[in-house]
Amino acid sequence: MREGLGLLVFLLCLSVVVCSHASVPVERSHQRQLSLRRHREKGKEGQVLHRSKRGWVWNQFFVIEEYTGPDPVLVGRLHSDVDSGEGKIKYILSGEGAGTIFVIDDKTGNIHATKTLDREERAQYTLTAQAVARDTNKPLEPPSEFIVKVQDINDNPPEFLHGPYHAMVSEMSNVGTSVMQVTASDADDPTYGNSARLVYSILEGQPYFSVEPHTGIIRTALPNMDREAKEEYNVVIQAKDMGGHMGGLSGTTKVTITLTDVNDNPPKFPQSVYAMSVSEASVPGEEVGRIKAKDPDMGENGLISYRVLEGDGADVFEVTTDSQTQEGVLKLKKHVDFETKRAYSLKVEASNLILDPRFLSWGPFKDTAMVKITVEDADEPPLFTSLGYIFEVQENSPANTVVGRVHAKDTDAANSPIRYTIDQHTNLDRLFKINLNEGIIQTTKPLDREAMAWHNISIIASEARAVDPRQEAKVHVAIKVLDVNDNPPEFAAQYEAFVCENGKYGKLIHTISAMDKDEAANGPRFLFELAQEVANNPNFTVRDNRDSTAGIYVRREGGFSRQKQDLYLLPIEINDNGSPPLSSTNTLTIRVCGCDSEGTLQSCNVEPYILPAGLSTGALIAILACIVILLVIVVLFVALRRQKKEPLIVFEEEDVRENIITYDDEGGGEEDTEAFDIATLQNPDGANGFLPRKDIKPEQQYPARPGLRPAPNSVDVDDFIKTRISEADYDPTAPPYDSIQIYGYEGRGSIAGSLSSLESATTDSDLDYDYLQSWGPRFKKLADLYGSKDTADNDDS
């Protein structure tokens, strides 16, 4: 209340002062007006001056800001010397705010402010005043420019434009350490009074921090502030104008100050002894347990490194640092055995990685603790006496040959018996077997080193009375198959040699080498020689080079001829160096080829005889053309002959040959033709036995029935045919159909006798054939053949 009354009194005093200043121009104008009138009177007397001068001169007016009175504020008054007070002069105001903020009485020249002004929005206005004749609006004075200034009052409090603030300072900082600087701003006029003169003070945050009154710099006020005790502080800073005196305005801001960490705390184990346990079944690298030293520092200041200092388990266990949790991880370094040692002790140290020299005097930044580790018993798998086994066995050894023996033992106190088996995934061909109780490995069949020289199998050992069947051990067994000389040597490649037709005696035509599937001890050196059956080969010979190779040389003098023989097969015997040695005979193919005079190979094919020299290409073409023409003529001739129809019967008188007439008569096939030979029909007396079938091999041979066989030297064809029919009926291999055979023989039962002409030339006939002349033209031929004899006889007689 008192501050409000004081402010009101101050404003009233200020208004009086302004008004007194505003009246000065009017008084001066009045004095100028009086002096002007006196001058005019002298002018009338002396007639010196002839023009009227401007009746006012001023620079600026003042108006206080934020005036809230009931009436407009009088800013000032304009009055011209030419104004006689009769109302003939009109005052005009123009410029910034004229007519809106500032108005003028055109008769009196009084200027008023109609609105409340704010200096912070606009500090001054530039206006122009002019006096004109009211009736003509003609200017009586030149326009004059003046300024209206808004006078400041303390109406704006200080403001922190960038707040709230955040700052950091290291813990354990010394007193007076600068934290940050805050700055406030005041919109009031800094050149007028103390409205913008600021003073800073701290309202909250004592006694930890302080602020400088004139600069706003915040500093630490207490020593050894510990981040681990309190990390964050809230500080309130005040800025007050009027130099901090009573009646001034103020503003505040909040500053959050965070203490940053330094390494001022050593790591510390929460307990001095740790107890852990590990199973003897654990494998190296397996985690045993964890320990952790506490360090309240943060970031890199809280990083901890662990190490084993001493103890009987220093070689068995190791400790590493978990970078995420900063824990010490104890891991197994070697296998532990419950039956050998049941407890271990370790001394572990934890220390900071990064040290701050300022705090080294506070003590060592490290700590130690004891770790007791107990070994627990476990059902362990059997243990083989060797990490791996290598055995040997000769190839081709019979089945059940002993290869070797493996041995495993139970490391537990129970000492259970062991069972042995072969991992069948490594014994797919079932070449080996093992004794379940003894671990003796044997073969199941002979082995071939050339097929596989090494065999790798895995032997599994398990306790016979194991609680956990998965507790088993496995060992690798390598079996080497020893070589025996069971493979003879052979050519190293498929050799094929070439010899020139003009090959000279003793010329090397090819070099051969050998290979042996057996090992080197049973292989080279190889010996080469010709096979025994061609030891004296006249064409080629073999010379052993005594380095497992041999050369093939020409032994023949006078060369070779491809027309006589173009290919030679040379058997070569090769012996190895085994015990006992083996040998084999390999055949070398040697081709005879044509070569030039220098022995260069040209052709190895058999070539026809070359035409005589001097036959040109044109002559060869002419010969070939003639041959083609002849072939065409022959083809045309054959085609024309096929189109010509020939008569079936020759009627010429001079053609006395017998005619063969073909009938479409199906016979018994080839077997019938062979069974009934035409020679037998021509000479029935020669048929004296059974002719077997040639197309089928009968399963049983049925002899001819004695009662049906004709007598020797019989010429009765009828009996012969009956005999053959009877044999065919009783023959199980005969075709299952009847066969009709037609023979040109009537037999002895015919009244007319034989009509055949087979014996007409050698046998005299008593028959008279004259009657044939009367049988007509159809028998004319027979009448001529048989009737001409008598006629001829008669003529002879």
Side-chain angles (χ1 to χ4, degrees):
M1 181 67 71
R2 291 178 181 178
E3 291 180 358
L5 291 175
L7 179 60
L8 182 60
V9 173
F10 172 75
L11 293 175
L12 291 176
C13 294
L14 186 61
S15 300
V16 173
V17 174
V18 173
C19 292
S20 63
H21 282 287
S23 61
V24 172
V26 180
E27 294 176 355
R28 290 179 179 176
S29 177
H30 181 63
Q31 292 176 358
R32 291 192 185 96
Q33 186 178 9
L34 293 177
S35 62
L36 183 58
R37 287 177 181 176
R38 293 173 183 172
H39 183 68
R40 285 180 178 178
E41 290 176 355
K42 293 180 179 179
K44 289 179 179 180
E45 295 177 355
Q47 298 295 325
V48 178
L49 299 175
H50 300 283
R51 68 181 179 85
S52 61
K53 296 173 68 177
R54 184 176 59 188
W56 65 85
V57 177
W58 67 88
N59 184 16
Q60 60 185 4
F61 290 150
F62 293 91
V63 62
I64 192 169
E65 69 170 334
E66 303 293 346
Y67 176 73
T68 57
D71 298 324
V73 178
L74 178 63
V75 178
R77 182 181 180 183
L78 302 178
H79 186 74
S80 176
D81 290 342
V82 297
D83 188 2
S84 60
E86 297 176 357
K88 295 180 178 181
I89 296 177
K90 183 171 66 175
Y91 296 97
I92 299 174
L93 185 65
S94 62
E96 297 174 346
T100 57
I101 299 176
F102 302 101
V103 295
I104 188 171
D105 189 340
D106 59 354
K107 294 180 180 181
T108 63
N110 292 333
I111 300 174
H112 292 83
T114 62
K115 295 182 179 180
T116 302
L117 303 180
D118 188 357
R119 190 200 67 82
E120 285 71 37
E121 293 182 2
R122 189 159 189 166
Q124 65 182 19
Y125 298 86
T126 302
L127 299 171
T128 302
Q130 191 175 19
V132 298
R134 184 176 293 276
D135 51 355
T136 62
N137 285 333
K138 292 183 178 181
L140 302 177
E141 294 283 350
S144 181
E145 186 179 86
F146 65 95
I147 296 174
V148 177
K149 286 191 174 183
V150 182
Q151 196 168 19
D152 183 52
I153 64 173
N154 189 20
D155 61 341
N156 291 281
E159 292 182 357
F160 292 92
L161 301 179
H162 302 289
Y165 298 90
H166 295 273
M168 292 185 295
V169 64
S170 298
E171 64 173 331
M172 299 296 172
S173 296
N174 297 326
V175 175
T177 301
S178 176
V179 179
M180 72 173 301
Q181 182 180 14
V182 294
T183 303
S185 61
D186 197 320
D188 294 326
D189 189 0
T191 63
Y192 180 77
N194 295 326
S195 299
R197 184 183 176 188
L198 304 181
V199 174
Y200 298 94
S201 62
I202 182 168
L203 300 183
E204 295 181 14
Q206 302 95 339
Y208 306 104
F209 300 95
S210 63
V211 62
E212 293 183 355
H214 301 292
T215 62
I217 297 176
I218 302 173
R219 299 182 182 275
T220 59
L222 283 180
N224 301 328
M225 284 190 295
D226 191 1
R227 184 199 66 83
E228 288 73 32
K230 186 175 182 179
E231 183 177 4
E232 189 175 273
Y233 296 86
N234 294 320
V235 179
V236 177
I237 302 297
Q238 181 190 63
K240 190 174 183 180
D241 58 13
M242 299 300 291
H245 297 294
M246 184 180 295
L249 302 178
S250 64
T252 60
T253 186
K254 182 180 179 181
V255 181
T256 302
I257 302 176
T258 303
L259 297 183
T260 59
D261 185 61
V262 297
N263 191 13
D264 58 338
N265 294 281
K268 185 70 175 177
F269 283 109
Q271 58 193 69
S272 59
V273 179
Y274 292 87
M276 299 178 184
S277 62
V278 61
S279 173
E280 64 174 343
S282 300
V283 296
E286 187 172 338
E287 182 178 324
V288 178
R290 293 187 174 221
I291 57 176
K292 184 176 183 180
K294 294 184 178 181
D295 191 335
D297 294 325
M298 295 179 60
E300 62 180 13
N301 296 320
L303 297 179
I304 302 175
S305 175
Y306 298 88
R307 65 182 182 127
V308 177
L309 293 180
E310 58 185 20
D312 56 1
D315 295 334
V316 182
F317 301 92
E318 62 181 353
V319 61
T320 60
T321 303
D322 189 333
S323 59
Q324 300 296 327
T325 62
Q326 292 301 304
E327 293 177 315
V329 182
L330 271 78
K331 295 182 179 180
L332 188 63
K333 195 174 180 180
K334 297 180 180 179
H335 279 288
V336 292
D337 187 10
F338 174 80
E339 289 73 23
T340 304
K341 188 175 179 62
R342 302 188 179 186
Y344 295 90
S345 62
L346 299 172
K347 186 177 183 180
V348 181
E349 178 189 76
S351 60
N352 281 135
L353 288 177
I354 299 176
L355 301 178
D356 194 332
R358 296 177 297 172
F359 309 105
L360 291 179
S361 60
W362 291 16
F365 283 78
K366 59 182 67 176
D367 194 16
T368 60
M370 294 298 298
V371 180
K372 302 291 185 179
I373 303 175
T374 303
V375 180
E376 296 178 348
D377 190 18
D379 185 14
E380 298 177 281
L383 180 65
F384 281 96
T385 57
S386 177
L387 297 177
Y389 295 88
I390 298 178
F391 299 131
E392 296 179 347
V393 61
Q394 280 194 344
E395 66 173 329
N396 302 328
S397 297
N400 299 322
T401 299
V402 175
V403 176
R405 180 181 182 183
V406 297
H407 181 68
K409 61 180 180 179
D410 184 13
T411 58
D412 297 324
N415 196 15
S416 301
I418 306 299
R419 290 171 54 89
Y420 301 93
T421 56
I422 298 178
D423 186 355
Q424 297 303 331
H425 293 91
T426 62
N427 189 32
L428 297 177
D429 296 331
R430 303 298 191 270
L431 298 177
F432 304 96
K433 62 182 179 179
I434 190 171
N435 185 279
L436 292 177
N437 300 320
E438 301 296 330
I440 298 175
I441 302 173
Q442 295 175 296
T443 61
T444 60
K445 60 182 70 174
L447 305 179
D448 185 5
R449 189 203 67 86
E450 287 70 38
M452 184 177 292
W454 285 88
H455 296 271
N456 296 286
I457 61 176
S458 295
I459 306 299
I460 301 174
S462 60
E463 298 179 15
R465 297 187 295 271
V467 177
D468 186 358
R470 295 173 297 178
Q471 293 289 343
E472 58 185 21
K474 184 180 291 187
V475 70
H476 175 261
V477 177
I479 302 173
K480 180 180 180 181
V481 182
L482 300 178
D483 183 51
V484 297
N485 192 21
D486 58 343
N487 290 279
E490 58 187 12
F491 278 158
Q494 294 292 333
Y495 293 115
E496 187 174 11
F498 303 92
V499 62
C500 295
E501 286 183 303
N502 56 358
K504 298 180 180 181
Y505 178 85
K507 181 176 178 58
L508 174 66
I509 63 173
H510 202 74
T511 300
I512 59 174
S513 62
M515 59 173 290
D516 196 326
K517 295 180 180 179
D518 295 321
E519 289 184 344
N522 293 316
R525 180 175 64 92
F526 299 112
L527 301 178
F528 300 86
E529 60 182 355
L530 291 177
Q532 293 295 328
E533 61 270 17
V534 293
N536 297 321
N537 189 291
N539 300 313
F540 305 98
T541 185
V542 176
R543 296 179 188 175
D544 196 325
N545 296 328
R546 298 185 180 277
D547 59 353
S548 296
T549 63
I552 309 301
Y553 293 86
V554 177
R555 191 175 182 181
R556 182 174 182 174
E557 296 182 356
F560 301 86
S561 175
R562 280 183 292 172
Q563 282 71 28
K564 294 182 179 180
Q565 185 173 351
D566 64 335
L567 185 68
Y568 292 90
L569 300 178
L570 186 65
I572 299 174
E573 182 178 316
I574 309 175
N575 294 271
D576 61 17
N577 195 31
S579 178
L582 295 180
S583 64
S584 66
T585 300
N586 298 260
T587 301
L588 176 64
T589 302
I590 304 176
R591 294 185 180 275
V592 180
C593 302
C595 305
D596 58 11
S597 59
E598 297 180 357
T600 303
L601 189 68
Q602 290 183 337
S603 174
C604 293
N605 297 323
V606 179
E607 299 176 353
Y609 289 107
I610 302 175
L611 294 174
L615 194 61
S616 64
T617 304
L620 291 175
I621 295 175
I623 294 172
L624 291 176
C626 294
I627 294 173
V628 172
I629 293 172
L630 291 175
L631 289 176
V632 172
I633 294 173
V634 171
V635 171
L636 291 175
F637 180 77
V638 173
L640 291 175
R641 288 295 302 267
R642 287 184 178 179
Q643 293 179 357
K644 184 178 180 181
K645 296 182 178 179
E646 297 180 356
L648 297 176
I649 302 176
V650 180
F651 293 98
E652 287 78 1
E653 293 291 335
E654 63 273 8
D655 192 355
V656 296
R657 292 176 300 172
E658 295 182 359
N659 294 323
I660 300 175
I661 301 174
T662 304
Y663 299 93
D664 295 331
D665 217 11
E666 285 189 359
E670 295 177 357
E671 61 272 24
D672 292 334
T673 303
E674 293 178 359
F676 304 101
D677 192 11
I678 191 64
T680 305
L681 296 180
Q682 293 176 352
N683 187 14
D685 296 335
N688 57 0
F690 171 74
L691 295 177
R693 294 176 62 89
K694 297 182 180 180
D695 59 338
I696 300 175
K697 183 179 181 181
E699 296 180 359
Q700 295 179 354
Q701 284 289 352
Y702 289 85
R705 300 178 66 178
L708 298 178
R709 182 177 299 273
N713 301 324
S714 175
V715 295
D716 191 349
V717 178
D718 187 24
D719 292 340
F720 171 77
I721 292 175
K722 288 181 180 180
T723 301
R724 292 292 182 263
I725 293 174
S726 178
E727 290 176 354
D729 291 340
Y730 290 96
D731 187 1
T733 62
Y737 51 84
D738 294 337
S739 176
I740 300 174
Q741 303 291 341
I742 300 174
Y743 303 98
Y745 185 78
E746 289 81 7
R748 294 185 176 88
S750 175
I751 299 175
S754 176
L755 298 179
S756 175
S757 62
L758 296 177
E759 298 178 356
S760 60
T762 58
T763 305
D764 294 335
S765 177
D766 298 332
L767 296 178
D768 186 8
Y769 298 100
D770 292 337
Y771 62 91
L772 294 176
Q773 299 292 337
S774 61
W775 283 13
R778 294 185 177 180
F779 297 91
K780 184 178 180 303
K781 189 70 174 178
L782 292 175
D784 293 340
L785 292 173
Y786 293 95
S788 61
K789 180 179 178 181
D790 295 338
T791 305
D793 295 338
N794 294 330
D795 293 338
D796 293 340
S797 61

